[in-house]
mmCIF file of all heavy atoms in Angstrom:
data_model
loop_
_atom_site.group_PDB
_atom_site.id
_atom_site.type_symbol
_atom_site.label_atom_id
_atom_site.label_comp_id
_atom_site.label_asym_id
_atom_site.label_seq_id
_atom_site.Cartn_x
_atom_site.Cartn_y
_atom_site.Cartn_z
ATOM 1 N N SER A 1 80.839 17.567 88.136
ATOM 2 C CA SER A 1 81.298 17.202 86.617
ATOM 3 C C SER A 1 82.809 16.466 86.826
ATOM 4 O O SER A 1 83.776 17.094 86.544
ATOM 5 C CB SER A 1 81.360 18.373 85.833
ATOM 6 O OG SER A 1 80.173 18.927 85.816
ATOM 7 N N TYR A 2 82.738 15.248 87.210
ATOM 8 C CA TYR A 2 83.995 14.556 87.413
ATOM 9 C C TYR A 2 84.884 14.228 86.420
ATOM 10 O O TYR A 2 86.138 14.253 86.486
ATOM 11 C CB TYR A 2 83.604 13.142 88.309
ATOM 12 C CG TYR A 2 82.979 13.484 89.559
ATOM 13 C CD1 TYR A 2 81.623 13.057 89.686
ATOM 14 C CD2 TYR A 2 83.403 14.323 90.430
ATOM 15 C CE1 TYR A 2 81.029 13.372 91.040
ATOM 16 C CE2 TYR A 2 82.761 14.674 91.650
ATOM 17 C CZ TYR A 2 81.505 14.208 91.913
ATOM 18 O OH TYR A 2 80.764 14.480 93.049
ATOM 19 N N GLU A 3 84.327 13.982 85.173
ATOM 20 C CA GLU A 3 85.254 13.776 83.973
ATOM 21 C C GLU A 3 85.892 15.109 83.600
ATOM 22 O O GLU A 3 87.149 15.023 83.289
ATOM 23 C CB GLU A 3 84.446 13.246 82.787
ATOM 24 C CG GLU A 3 84.058 11.780 82.753
ATOM 25 C CD GLU A 3 83.426 11.368 81.512
ATOM 26 O OE1 GLU A 3 83.643 11.746 80.437
ATOM 27 O OE2 GLU A 3 82.495 10.407 81.628
ATOM 28 N N GLU A 4 85.197 16.146 83.634
ATOM 29 C CA GLU A 4 85.879 17.511 83.386
ATOM 30 C C GLU A 4 86.821 17.800 84.533
ATOM 31 O O GLU A 4 87.982 18.260 84.196
ATOM 32 C CB GLU A 4 84.763 18.615 83.345
ATOM 33 C CG GLU A 4 85.424 19.896 82.806
ATOM 34 C CD GLU A 4 85.687 19.940 81.333
ATOM 35 O OE1 GLU A 4 85.174 19.083 80.537
ATOM 36 O OE2 GLU A 4 86.610 20.678 81.075
ATOM 37 N N ALA A 5 86.503 17.467 85.778
ATOM 38 C CA ALA A 5 87.459 17.753 86.889
ATOM 39 C C ALA A 5 88.715 16.973 86.639
ATOM 40 O O ALA A 5 89.901 17.411 86.975
ATOM 41 C CB ALA A 5 86.769 17.354 88.257
ATOM 42 N N PHE A 6 88.515 15.669 86.224
ATOM 43 C CA PHE A 6 89.833 14.909 86.051
ATOM 44 C C PHE A 6 90.648 15.521 84.868
ATOM 45 O O PHE A 6 91.865 15.490 85.075
ATOM 46 C CB PHE A 6 89.286 13.430 85.549
ATOM 47 C CG PHE A 6 90.478 12.509 85.111
ATOM 48 C CD1 PHE A 6 91.301 12.056 86.026
ATOM 49 C CD2 PHE A 6 90.753 12.376 83.733
ATOM 50 C CE1 PHE A 6 92.443 11.312 85.597
ATOM 51 C CE2 PHE A 6 91.891 11.631 83.263
ATOM 52 C CZ PHE A 6 92.711 11.155 84.252
ATOM 53 N N ARG A 7 90.093 15.797 83.798
ATOM 54 C CA ARG A 7 90.884 16.462 82.681
ATOM 55 C C ARG A 7 91.580 17.673 83.246
ATOM 56 O O ARG A 7 92.865 17.888 82.916
ATOM 57 C CB ARG A 7 90.089 16.791 81.503
ATOM 58 C CG ARG A 7 89.713 15.611 80.707
ATOM 59 C CD ARG A 7 89.081 15.969 79.334
ATOM 60 N NE ARG A 7 87.768 16.602 79.509
ATOM 61 C CZ ARG A 7 86.615 15.963 79.686
ATOM 62 N NH1 ARG A 7 86.612 14.685 79.605
ATOM 63 N NH2 ARG A 7 85.450 16.601 79.866
ATOM 64 N N ALA A 8 90.892 18.458 83.996
ATOM 65 C CA ALA A 8 91.553 19.660 84.503
ATOM 66 C C ALA A 8 92.592 19.452 85.493
ATOM 67 O O ALA A 8 93.746 19.972 85.459
ATOM 68 C CB ALA A 8 90.442 20.579 85.248
ATOM 69 N N ALA A 9 92.406 18.362 86.428
ATOM 70 C CA ALA A 9 93.407 18.041 87.378
ATOM 71 C C ALA A 9 94.610 17.474 86.653
ATOM 72 O O ALA A 9 95.850 17.694 87.077
ATOM 73 C CB ALA A 9 92.853 17.009 88.307
ATOM 74 N N HIS A 10 94.449 16.682 85.710
ATOM 75 C CA HIS A 10 95.415 15.993 84.871
ATOM 76 C C HIS A 10 96.371 17.110 84.265
ATOM 77 O O HIS A 10 97.578 17.070 84.152
ATOM 78 C CB HIS A 10 94.910 14.969 83.882
ATOM 79 C CG HIS A 10 95.974 14.156 83.285
ATOM 80 N ND1 HIS A 10 96.565 14.463 82.114
ATOM 81 C CD2 HIS A 10 96.393 12.953 83.682
ATOM 82 C CE1 HIS A 10 97.439 13.433 81.792
ATOM 83 N NE2 HIS A 10 97.363 12.527 82.772
ATOM 84 N N THR A 11 95.639 18.111 83.597
ATOM 85 C CA THR A 11 96.342 19.236 83.006
ATOM 86 C C THR A 11 97.262 19.945 83.986
ATOM 87 O O THR A 11 98.396 20.286 83.757
ATOM 88 C CB THR A 11 95.439 20.167 82.211
ATOM 89 O OG1 THR A 11 94.755 19.362 81.315
ATOM 90 C CG2 THR A 11 96.111 21.250 81.470
ATOM 91 N N LEU A 12 96.686 20.185 85.194
ATOM 92 C CA LEU A 12 97.353 21.045 86.200
ATOM 93 C C LEU A 12 98.479 20.273 86.713
ATOM 94 O O LEU A 12 99.583 20.831 86.905
ATOM 95 C CB LEU A 12 96.359 21.361 87.300
ATOM 96 C CG LEU A 12 96.951 22.149 88.456
ATOM 97 C CD1 LEU A 12 97.401 23.605 88.084
ATOM 98 C CD2 LEU A 12 96.017 22.175 89.637
ATOM 99 N N LYS A 13 98.263 18.993 86.819
ATOM 100 C CA LYS A 13 99.442 18.108 87.267
ATOM 101 C C LYS A 13 100.536 18.142 86.208
ATOM 102 O O LYS A 13 101.768 18.262 86.623
ATOM 103 C CB LYS A 13 98.961 16.698 87.374
ATOM 104 C CG LYS A 13 100.001 15.681 87.770
ATOM 105 C CD LYS A 13 99.504 14.233 87.854
ATOM 106 C CE LYS A 13 99.614 13.663 86.407
ATOM 107 N NZ LYS A 13 99.503 12.142 86.357
ATOM 108 N N GLY A 14 100.222 18.067 84.972
ATOM 109 C CA GLY A 14 101.296 18.119 83.909
ATOM 110 C C GLY A 14 101.996 19.276 83.807
ATOM 111 O O GLY A 14 103.218 19.361 83.610
ATOM 112 N N VAL A 15 101.346 20.507 83.937
ATOM 113 C CA VAL A 15 101.925 21.747 83.851
ATOM 114 C C VAL A 15 102.811 22.055 85.018
ATOM 115 O O VAL A 15 104.017 22.409 84.946
ATOM 116 C CB VAL A 15 100.898 22.978 83.763
ATOM 117 C CG1 VAL A 15 101.468 24.231 84.111
ATOM 118 C CG2 VAL A 15 100.120 22.898 82.502
ATOM 119 N N SER A 16 102.338 21.369 86.217
ATOM 120 C CA SER A 16 103.152 21.672 87.546
ATOM 121 C C SER A 16 104.420 20.795 87.314
ATOM 122 O O SER A 16 105.472 21.213 87.756
ATOM 123 C CB SER A 16 102.326 21.192 88.725
ATOM 124 O OG SER A 16 101.197 22.000 88.779
ATOM 125 N N GLN A 17 104.328 19.670 86.820
ATOM 126 C CA GLN A 17 105.428 18.735 86.649
ATOM 127 C C GLN A 17 106.449 19.313 85.639
ATOM 128 O O GLN A 17 107.533 19.465 85.948
ATOM 129 C CB GLN A 17 105.058 17.483 86.155
ATOM 130 C CG GLN A 17 106.141 16.394 86.114
ATOM 131 C CD GLN A 17 105.687 14.922 85.692
ATOM 132 O OE1 GLN A 17 104.748 14.765 84.928
ATOM 133 N NE2 GLN A 17 106.438 13.998 86.259
ATOM 134 N N ASN A 18 105.936 19.874 84.516
ATOM 135 C CA ASN A 18 106.828 20.447 83.509
ATOM 136 C C ASN A 18 107.623 21.619 84.012
ATOM 137 O O ASN A 18 108.724 21.938 83.673
ATOM 138 C CB ASN A 18 106.042 20.756 82.265
ATOM 139 C CG ASN A 18 105.671 19.538 81.424
ATOM 140 O OD1 ASN A 18 106.328 18.512 81.510
ATOM 141 N ND2 ASN A 18 104.626 19.715 80.667
ATOM 142 N N LEU A 19 106.966 22.400 84.944
ATOM 143 C CA LEU A 19 107.554 23.620 85.487
ATOM 144 C C LEU A 19 108.328 23.324 86.764
ATOM 145 O O LEU A 19 108.871 24.335 87.408
ATOM 146 C CB LEU A 19 106.528 24.786 85.679
ATOM 147 C CG LEU A 19 106.008 25.225 84.390
ATOM 148 C CD1 LEU A 19 104.782 26.295 84.629
ATOM 149 C CD2 LEU A 19 107.089 25.956 83.550
ATOM 150 N N SER A 20 108.271 22.128 87.304
ATOM 151 C CA SER A 20 108.937 21.574 88.536
ATOM 152 C C SER A 20 108.436 22.466 89.753
ATOM 153 O O SER A 20 109.095 22.733 90.610
ATOM 154 C CB SER A 20 110.395 21.780 88.364
ATOM 155 O OG SER A 20 110.981 20.960 87.370
ATOM 156 N N PHE A 21 107.063 22.560 89.680
ATOM 157 C CA PHE A 21 106.380 23.210 90.771
ATOM 158 C C PHE A 21 106.017 22.005 91.723
ATOM 159 O O PHE A 21 104.951 21.514 91.863
ATOM 160 C CB PHE A 21 105.127 23.860 90.462
ATOM 161 C CG PHE A 21 105.309 25.079 89.600
ATOM 162 C CD1 PHE A 21 104.175 25.563 88.995
ATOM 163 C CD2 PHE A 21 106.452 25.792 89.571
ATOM 164 C CE1 PHE A 21 104.324 26.900 88.232
ATOM 165 C CE2 PHE A 21 106.547 26.924 88.825
ATOM 166 C CZ PHE A 21 105.501 27.403 88.221
ATOM 167 N N THR A 22 107.061 21.374 92.374
ATOM 168 C CA THR A 22 106.976 20.060 93.018
ATOM 169 C C THR A 22 105.712 20.024 93.996
ATOM 170 O O THR A 22 105.035 19.085 94.033
ATOM 171 C CB THR A 22 108.289 19.877 93.872
ATOM 172 O OG1 THR A 22 109.341 19.976 92.957
ATOM 173 C CG2 THR A 22 108.240 18.535 94.441
ATOM 174 N N LYS A 23 105.558 20.984 94.938
ATOM 175 C CA LYS A 23 104.433 20.879 95.919
ATOM 176 C C LYS A 23 103.208 20.932 95.160
ATOM 177 O O LYS A 23 102.382 20.101 95.530
ATOM 178 C CB LYS A 23 104.667 22.180 96.880
ATOM 179 C CG LYS A 23 103.735 22.124 97.962
ATOM 180 C CD LYS A 23 104.076 23.322 98.826
ATOM 181 C CE LYS A 23 103.383 23.355 100.208
ATOM 182 N NZ LYS A 23 104.069 22.582 101.338
ATOM 183 N N LEU A 24 102.922 21.720 94.258
ATOM 184 C CA LEU A 24 101.635 21.738 93.494
ATOM 185 C C LEU A 24 101.526 20.384 92.712
ATOM 186 O O LEU A 24 100.340 19.869 92.687
ATOM 187 C CB LEU A 24 101.461 22.895 92.577
ATOM 188 C CG LEU A 24 100.252 23.137 91.818
ATOM 189 C CD1 LEU A 24 99.010 23.073 92.762
ATOM 190 C CD2 LEU A 24 100.216 24.397 90.977
ATOM 191 N N TYR A 25 102.653 19.913 92.074
ATOM 192 C CA TYR A 25 102.551 18.778 91.413
ATOM 193 C C TYR A 25 102.124 17.540 92.274
ATOM 194 O O TYR A 25 101.249 16.785 91.837
ATOM 195 C CB TYR A 25 103.904 18.396 90.785
ATOM 196 C CG TYR A 25 103.970 16.930 90.347
ATOM 197 C CD1 TYR A 25 103.355 16.554 89.172
ATOM 198 C CD2 TYR A 25 104.541 15.999 91.053
ATOM 199 C CE1 TYR A 25 103.212 15.144 88.844
ATOM 200 C CE2 TYR A 25 104.546 14.603 90.627
ATOM 201 C CZ TYR A 25 103.899 14.292 89.506
ATOM 202 O OH TYR A 25 103.851 12.960 89.177
ATOM 203 N N GLN A 26 102.541 17.469 93.455
ATOM 204 C CA GLN A 26 102.272 16.383 94.339
ATOM 205 C C GLN A 26 100.691 16.441 94.752
ATOM 206 O O GLN A 26 99.982 15.349 94.629
ATOM 207 C CB GLN A 26 103.083 16.288 95.625
ATOM 208 C CG GLN A 26 104.563 16.092 95.385
ATOM 209 C CD GLN A 26 105.463 16.430 96.552
ATOM 210 O OE1 GLN A 26 105.140 17.099 97.408
ATOM 211 N NE2 GLN A 26 106.614 15.695 96.397
ATOM 212 N N SER A 27 100.136 17.627 95.122
ATOM 213 C CA SER A 27 98.861 17.643 95.480
ATOM 214 C C SER A 27 97.925 17.461 94.214
ATOM 215 O O SER A 27 96.912 16.837 94.355
ATOM 216 C CB SER A 27 98.543 18.954 96.205
ATOM 217 O OG SER A 27 98.799 20.162 95.318
ATOM 218 N N SER A 28 98.174 17.980 92.982
ATOM 219 C CA SER A 28 97.442 17.753 91.857
ATOM 220 C C SER A 28 97.546 16.305 91.411
ATOM 221 O O SER A 28 96.613 15.833 90.868
ATOM 222 C CB SER A 28 97.846 18.773 90.754
ATOM 223 O OG SER A 28 99.170 18.641 90.393
ATOM 224 N N HIS A 29 98.644 15.731 91.647
ATOM 225 C CA HIS A 29 98.848 14.311 91.283
ATOM 226 C C HIS A 29 97.875 13.369 92.329
ATOM 227 O O HIS A 29 97.153 12.589 91.638
ATOM 228 C CB HIS A 29 100.098 13.789 91.454
ATOM 229 C CG HIS A 29 100.379 12.310 91.335
ATOM 230 N ND1 HIS A 29 100.278 11.645 90.199
ATOM 231 C CD2 HIS A 29 100.594 11.306 92.419
ATOM 232 C CE1 HIS A 29 100.542 10.311 90.450
ATOM 233 N NE2 HIS A 29 100.582 10.090 91.770
ATOM 234 N N GLU A 30 97.754 13.782 93.534
ATOM 235 C CA GLU A 30 96.851 13.058 94.428
ATOM 236 C C GLU A 30 95.375 13.157 93.979
ATOM 237 O O GLU A 30 94.680 12.263 93.893
ATOM 238 C CB GLU A 30 97.021 13.524 95.812
ATOM 239 C CG GLU A 30 98.352 13.151 96.443
ATOM 240 C CD GLU A 30 98.670 13.759 97.803
ATOM 241 O OE1 GLU A 30 97.731 14.516 98.339
ATOM 242 O OE2 GLU A 30 99.696 13.669 98.266
ATOM 243 N N ILE A 31 94.966 14.398 93.618
ATOM 244 C CA ILE A 31 93.507 14.622 93.274
ATOM 245 C C ILE A 31 93.285 13.878 91.887
ATOM 246 O O ILE A 31 92.164 13.416 91.746
ATOM 247 C CB ILE A 31 93.208 16.008 93.329
ATOM 248 C CG1 ILE A 31 91.660 16.134 93.416
ATOM 249 C CG2 ILE A 31 93.661 16.926 92.105
ATOM 250 C CD1 ILE A 31 91.032 17.631 93.740
ATOM 251 N N THR A 32 94.253 13.966 90.961
ATOM 252 C CA THR A 32 94.083 13.321 89.710
ATOM 253 C C THR A 32 93.872 11.775 89.952
ATOM 254 O O THR A 32 92.972 11.313 89.319
ATOM 255 C CB THR A 32 95.401 13.513 88.854
ATOM 256 O OG1 THR A 32 95.419 14.932 88.577
ATOM 257 C CG2 THR A 32 95.256 12.790 87.636
ATOM 258 N N GLU A 33 94.716 11.169 90.739
ATOM 259 C CA GLU A 33 94.492 9.749 90.919
ATOM 260 C C GLU A 33 93.224 9.406 91.746
ATOM 261 O O GLU A 33 92.541 8.458 91.344
ATOM 262 C CB GLU A 33 95.703 9.293 91.831
ATOM 263 C CG GLU A 33 96.973 9.223 91.033
ATOM 264 C CD GLU A 33 96.907 8.589 89.577
ATOM 265 O OE1 GLU A 33 96.427 7.441 89.473
ATOM 266 O OE2 GLU A 33 97.178 9.291 88.613
ATOM 267 N N ALA A 34 92.630 10.233 92.597
ATOM 268 C CA ALA A 34 91.352 10.128 93.208
ATOM 269 C C ALA A 34 90.323 10.134 92.174
ATOM 270 O O ALA A 34 89.404 9.267 92.220
ATOM 271 C CB ALA A 34 91.233 11.233 94.346
ATOM 272 N N LEU A 35 90.429 11.074 91.294
ATOM 273 C CA LEU A 35 89.346 11.277 90.218
ATOM 274 C C LEU A 35 89.469 10.049 89.112
ATOM 275 O O LEU A 35 88.482 9.549 88.691
ATOM 276 C CB LEU A 35 89.548 12.560 89.509
ATOM 277 C CG LEU A 35 89.094 13.784 90.292
ATOM 278 C CD1 LEU A 35 89.606 15.084 89.753
ATOM 279 C CD2 LEU A 35 87.576 13.819 90.470
ATOM 280 N N ARG A 36 90.710 9.655 88.868
ATOM 281 C CA ARG A 36 90.978 8.522 87.983
ATOM 282 C C ARG A 36 90.293 7.243 88.455
ATOM 283 O O ARG A 36 89.708 6.407 87.669
ATOM 284 C CB ARG A 36 92.363 8.309 87.803
ATOM 285 C CG ARG A 36 92.811 7.227 86.754
ATOM 286 C CD ARG A 36 94.147 6.846 86.661
ATOM 287 N NE ARG A 36 95.144 7.894 86.666
ATOM 288 C CZ ARG A 36 95.537 8.524 85.631
ATOM 289 N NH1 ARG A 36 94.973 8.211 84.299
ATOM 290 N NH2 ARG A 36 96.460 9.528 85.549
ATOM 291 N N THR A 37 90.321 7.058 89.746
ATOM 292 C CA THR A 37 89.808 5.794 90.320
ATOM 293 C C THR A 37 88.294 6.065 90.894
ATOM 294 O O THR A 37 87.780 5.300 91.526
ATOM 295 C CB THR A 37 90.635 5.385 91.540
ATOM 296 O OG1 THR A 37 90.704 6.380 92.549
ATOM 297 C CG2 THR A 37 92.076 4.952 90.960
ATOM 298 N N ALA A 38 87.762 7.069 90.479
ATOM 299 C CA ALA A 38 86.295 7.434 90.842
ATOM 300 C C ALA A 38 86.063 7.620 92.350
ATOM 301 O O ALA A 38 85.057 7.378 92.874
ATOM 302 C CB ALA A 38 85.328 6.475 90.271
ATOM 303 N N ASN A 39 87.102 7.904 92.997
ATOM 304 C CA ASN A 39 87.071 8.293 94.526
ATOM 305 C C ASN A 39 86.794 9.581 94.718
ATOM 306 O O ASN A 39 87.469 10.373 95.113
ATOM 307 C CB ASN A 39 88.332 7.805 95.173
ATOM 308 C CG ASN A 39 88.207 7.678 96.776
ATOM 309 O OD1 ASN A 39 87.213 8.307 97.326
ATOM 310 N ND2 ASN A 39 89.022 7.045 97.375
ATOM 311 N N TYR A 40 85.458 9.989 94.387
ATOM 312 C CA TYR A 40 85.072 11.455 94.259
ATOM 313 C C TYR A 40 85.093 12.076 95.782
ATOM 314 O O TYR A 40 85.356 13.247 95.828
ATOM 315 C CB TYR A 40 83.744 11.608 93.675
ATOM 316 C CG TYR A 40 83.811 10.899 92.231
ATOM 317 C CD1 TYR A 40 82.771 10.004 91.880
ATOM 318 C CD2 TYR A 40 84.793 11.268 91.303
ATOM 319 C CE1 TYR A 40 82.797 9.481 90.539
ATOM 320 C CE2 TYR A 40 84.899 10.738 90.054
ATOM 321 C CZ TYR A 40 83.835 9.895 89.768
ATOM 322 O OH TYR A 40 83.975 9.278 88.397
ATOM 323 N N ASP A 41 84.749 11.389 96.708
ATOM 324 C CA ASP A 41 84.778 11.813 98.063
ATOM 325 C C ASP A 41 86.138 12.322 98.438
ATOM 326 O O ASP A 41 86.327 13.382 99.063
ATOM 327 C CB ASP A 41 84.172 10.896 99.062
ATOM 328 C CG ASP A 41 82.695 10.731 98.986
ATOM 329 O OD1 ASP A 41 81.937 11.607 98.456
ATOM 330 O OD2 ASP A 41 82.169 9.589 99.496
ATOM 331 N N LEU A 42 87.052 11.424 98.239
ATOM 332 C CA LEU A 42 88.476 11.773 98.431
ATOM 333 C C LEU A 42 88.883 12.984 97.657
ATOM 334 O O LEU A 42 89.629 13.860 98.202
ATOM 335 C CB LEU A 42 89.395 10.579 98.131
ATOM 336 C CG LEU A 42 90.956 10.835 98.366
ATOM 337 C CD1 LEU A 42 91.277 11.251 99.781
ATOM 338 C CD2 LEU A 42 91.721 9.613 98.078
#
């Protein structure tokens, strides 16, 4: 369910950024961008 996964990844990225959880922000940003560009294997 890639659309739902994208929304969840984007939310996790935002929460991590707002709380300055840098390490988690970086990895959640990467997966968000992979989902945004429909690179589901990545």
Side-chain angles (χ1 to χ4, degrees):
S1 301
Y2 300 119
E3 283 186 33
E4 190 68 30
F6 170 76
R7 283 191 294 275
H10 193 269
T11 300
L12 181 62
K13 177 185 86 162
V15 170
S16 298
Q17 183 176 34
N18 287 335
L19 292 174
S20 299
F21 295 164
T22 309
K23 191 175 187 88
L24 181 57
Y25 165 74
Q26 290 169 342
S27 60
S28 60
H29 171 74
E30 290 172 9
I31 200 168
T32 298
E33 292 309 306
L35 290 162
R36 182 188 315 276
T37 60
N39 192 342
Y40 304 130
D41 290 337
L42 177 59

